[in-house]
């Protein structure tokens, strides 16, 4: 069991859930300052987690 791949998969799932939550907040937004701040924060965190998780899974070599 490769710990880096598992951690990469967890980061990827967190990133996907952050991006989905950003989409939900975006669809229900009324345009207030608080909504815009949460869109930016969750969107950036979702993208960072997603990209780091994908790159961690991609660059980790399989060892038997």
């Amino acid at each position: 069991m490769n710990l880096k791949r598992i951690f990469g998969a967890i980061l990827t799932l967190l990133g996907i859930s952050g991006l989905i939550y950003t989409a939900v907040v975006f669809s229900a937004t009324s345009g207030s300052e608080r909504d815009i701040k949460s869109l930016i924060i969750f969107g950036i965190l979702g993208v960072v987690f997603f990209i780091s998780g994908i790159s961690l899974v991609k660059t980790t070599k399989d060892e038997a």
Side-chain angles (χ1 to χ4, degrees):
M1 197 178 340
N2 200 341
L3 191 61
K4 284 185 182 179
R5 280 196 179 256
I6 293 172
F7 187 63
I10 291 171
L11 281 176
T12 304
L13 291 175
L14 282 174
I16 290 171
S17 63
L19 291 173
I20 290 172
Y21 185 71
T22 302
V24 169
V25 170
F26 179 73
S27 66
T29 188
S30 62
S32 68
E33 185 177 341
R34 182 178 173 188
D35 291 338
I36 294 171
K37 283 182 182 179
S38 66
L39 276 173
I40 292 170
I41 290 170
F42 288 120
I44 290 173
L45 284 176
V47 168
V48 167
F49 283 176
F50 183 73
I51 290 173
S52 64
I54 291 293
S55 67
L56 190 61
V57 168
K58 205 173 174 182
T59 59
T60 304
K61 296 181 180 181
D62 286 331
E63 295 178 3

